[in-house]
Amino acid sequence: MQRKLPLKAYKYRIYPTDGQMVFFAKTFGCCRFVWNKMLDKKMNAYKKKERIPGVTPAEYKKEFPFLKEVDSFALCNVQLQLEKAFKDHFRNRKQFKLPKFKKKRDKQSYTTNNRQNSIRVDFEKGLLYLPKIREGLKIELHRRFEGKIKSVTVSRANDGKYYASILVETQNPRNKVVEPKSKACGIDLGLGHFATVTNDFGSYKFEHPKYLLKGEERLRRLQKSHSRKQKDSKNSEKARLRLARQHTYISNARNDFLHKLSKAIIDENQVVVVEDINVKGLLKSRLAKSISDSGWSKFLTYLRYKAEWYGRTFIQVDRFFPSSKLCHRCGYKNEDLALHDRTWCCPACGETHDRDVNASKNLYFVGIGRPEVTPVEQALVDDRSPKGLPKKLSCDETGSSTTKS
Ligand SMILES: [Zn+2]
């Protein structure tokens, strides 16, 4: 069987003419209409605890002939997206809520597929050709790509700008591959810092970038200001636009940061080990949510696919691996460690741990394949210091003897 080529998405700003905007608005509207119709049918069955029926957009075309005017691939994709949403929900109810009805105010988009060259890009003229847009659409092609176009998603952001995200089957999605300098690294995702990383050269803390924190602050201010304005007034519309622009700015800035950091980590290390973030329980805290929001899971997604592109190994440890509670030196497990304990002292070997550094070191050891640390009992037998905790020097010995490194 032929190996599947990796897919890569390229997003560009597009500048539709007035006529094309009307066409897009129609298509967005039809997609929303069909989504809501199909969802309604499925939800009725769901509420009655009946089997959820399969629905296709085609069955509405007779009753609502305007559906025939738009790109039929767009409607097909709505069906696929809706089916996926239900599937995801039944697979993992906690993470995936039931799909919702779409409103006109939501972000609008539709996806169309390339069949027999129905989608083309002219890099010289700066034009994108889509089904039903034969005259071409003005597109800002700030970067080139090579490969076969699979599909295009056209979207209109809240601030009124239009974008096309082009999904391309590409032979070689990567930039230059560099030799890793470090065998492995362990990454602990944190609250105070974005991430703590340990590799062959030591431990590093990566802060949330200042511009992001400042941007979030401004976002909150704009949110407040928007909610204070009288509904449907001119000022409210202006505030909404400012808010939408800030949202875009933040999400672009965050993605940029996540891409650069994940790329740097993948470049430097052969094996990348991360924890299962569901365990963190930190997302429950309000503060964490506002700061890192989608940040963590996006970061892990970026690491995972970049690892694949660049031939690195990506390991996500089991949720039962106690990366924070384990003393990285002697293997003692601190069952009493609370979420707010930023540092702790190992009663077995006397080492003082920074919570995040210790966790990232444990993850690093998973990466370099250190043999299982010997259980605690052995380390607890302390025949060197009469006054309980051993001195720092002797604890080095404990570390190396029990870990057999
Ligand atoms: Zn210890």
Side-chain angles (χ1 to χ4, degrees), residues 247-271:
H247 265 298
T248 314
Y249 166 78
I250 294 269
S251 106
N252 289 347
R254 185 189 286 121
N255 282 346
D256 182 60
F257 164 69
L258 297 176
H259 271 301
K260 279 176 181 153
L261 183 57
S262 56
K263 174 71 163 55
I265 287 172
I266 290 293
D267 274 349
E268 191 163 283
N269 304 286
Q270 180 55 47
V271 178

Side-chain angles (χ1 to χ4, degrees), residues 76-172:
C76 279
N77 283 317
V78 173
Q79 181 193 345
L80 296 180
Q81 283 155 13
L82 188 60
E83 276 163 13
K84 185 176 178 298
F86 271 98
K87 222 187 242 169
D88 285 344
H89 174 70
F90 292 126
R91 191 166 46 81
N92 187 345
R93 283 164 199 255
K94 226 175 169 182
Q95 195 179 349
F96 300 99
K97 301 286 171 224
L98 272 170
K100 283 190 191 139
F101 289 97
K102 289 196 191 240
K103 291 185 211 114
K104 203 177 173 185
R105 300 205 66 142
D106 298 341
K107 184 188 161 184
Q108 314 196 58
S109 72
Y110 79 89
T111 300
T112 179
N113 302 51
N114 190 9
R115 180 173 281 180
Q116 289 162 355
N117 244 5
S118 59
I119 302 179
R120 278 165 297 131
V121 165
D122 188 329
F123 280 101
E124 270 60 58
K125 290 186 188 147
L127 288 175
L128 169 66
Y129 299 91
L130 293 175
K132 305 227 175 195
I133 302 195
R134 287 204 197 134
E135 71 279 16
L137 178 63
K138 212 177 141 213
I139 180 170
E140 175 75 49
L141 291 158
H142 61 280
R143 66 183 292 194
R144 275 181 172 265
F145 62 81
E146 272 168 40
K148 201 176 145 217
I149 298 174
K150 290 283 287 181
S151 66
V152 169
T153 299
V154 175
S155 61
R156 181 182 184 273
N158 280 335
D159 57 7
K161 290 175 183 162
Y162 289 81
Y163 298 91
S165 178
I166 306 179
L167 196 64
V168 180
E169 237 180 23
T170 155
Q171 198 75 45
N172 184 14

Side-chain angles (χ1 to χ4, degrees), residues 276-299:
D276 183 338
I277 48 166
N278 291 333
V279 180
K280 283 242 127 170
L282 289 175
L283 287 173
K284 281 182 201 135
S285 132
R286 259 257 176 103
L287 176 78
K289 204 173 158 11
S290 71
I291 294 180
S292 47
D293 234 349
S294 54
W296 286 343
S297 52
K298 241 185 204 169
F299 186 58

Side-chain angles (χ1 to χ4, degrees), residues 201-220:
F201 309 112
S203 301
Y204 311 87
K205 290 199 169 187
F206 292 94
E207 309 280 349
H208 292 277
K210 279 227 172 64
Y211 57 85
L212 263 188
L213 297 178
K214 270 193 187 152
E216 303 261 1
E217 214 174 278
R218 184 171 141 79
L219 190 68
R220 274 192 293 280

Side-chain angles (χ1 to χ4, degrees), residues 327 330 332 346 348-349:
C327 167
C330 73
Y332 172 82
C346 173
C349 71

